[in-house]
Amino acid sequence: PYAFLVGLGRLANSLWAVVLVQICANLLVLALLARLSGVSGAPKRFMTVAIGTALLTTAPWFAGLMMPDAFAGPAILAAGLVLAGWDRLGRAKYLALALVPLAGMVHATHLMILAGLSVIGLILWKFKQVSRLAALSLAAATLAAWLLVPSLHATTQGEFTYNRGGSVFLLAR
């Protein structure tokens, strides 16, 4: 599925379009993270989080590379925001929820991480640490990504598969 994103670069006649999408995915989760504790003061928190991310993480490096790994951080943060911020993000939570399948579809490892986070969300729901709707929404978004990947492969390549690398390789990742 990452090839479809790279296709945007072809349509735009520049691979910078892909880098821009990757940067926007990172900025979206940072903005939602800054908004988690309320709208007032969010711009200042966003700048703090963005500068901290730029200086202390590899997010800027990966966002500028042409590889699906650029979506690892946004996938994980979006899943965390769905679980931790469901009640506090208002309608903005749906942005994080929409990012989960999009970021998850581009790499099989992201799907496995999101599946693990979905299981954690369901466990936390049972212990009343997150809302039922948050846990089920994350699980549904992850399941959607799991089903969309082989569906895209079946449509484009005629084979309903996740990865041609083999199941042992996939499990090792």
Side-chain angles (χ1 to χ4, degrees), residues 1 4 104-106 108 111 142-164 170:
F4 289 106
M105 284 175 42
V106 298
L111 284 173
T142 301
L143 179 61
W146 273 95
L147 295 174
L148 285 170
V149 170
S151 298
L152 282 172
H153 289 168
T155 302
T156 60
Q157 300 169 8
E159 186 178 354
F160 192 80
T161 183
Y162 283 100
N163 188 327
R164 290 192 180 153
L170 194 59

Side-chain angles (χ1 to χ4, degrees), residues 22-156:
Q22 293 173 174
I23 290 170
C24 287
N26 278 281
L27 289 175
L28 174 64
V29 294
L30 294 180
L32 291 172
L33 186 62
R35 188 170 181 204
L36 192 60
S37 59
V39 176
S40 70
K44 190 183 294 185
R45 283 192 303 275
F46 172 74
M47 288 307 296
T48 304
V49 169
I51 290 169
T53 300
L55 295 175
L56 303 173
T57 73
T58 58
W61 171 262
F62 278 109
L65 296 177
M66 296 301 303
M67 56 192 310
D69 295 349
F71 287 95
I76 294 165
L77 282 174
L81 285 164
V82 167
L83 292 176
W86 189 262
D87 297 324
R88 293 178 288 174
L89 282 174
R91 282 186 258 153
K93 66 187 164 210
Y94 298 113
L95 291 172
L97 191 60
L99 191 56
V100 168
L102 296 175
M105 284 175 42
V106 298
H107 203 291
T109 304
H110 301 169
L111 284 173
M112 287 188 267
I113 291 169
L114 289 169
L117 290 171
S118 294
V119 169
I120 290 170
L122 293 170
I123 291 168
L124 289 174
W125 161 48
K126 285 296 183 187
F127 287 105
K128 301 194 184 320
Q129 299 299 308
V130 299
S131 76
R132 174 179 179 236
L133 197 51
L136 292 177
S137 295
L138 178 60
T142 301
L143 179 61
W146 273 95
L147 295 174
L148 285 170
V149 170
S151 298
L152 282 172
H153 289 168
T155 302
T156 60

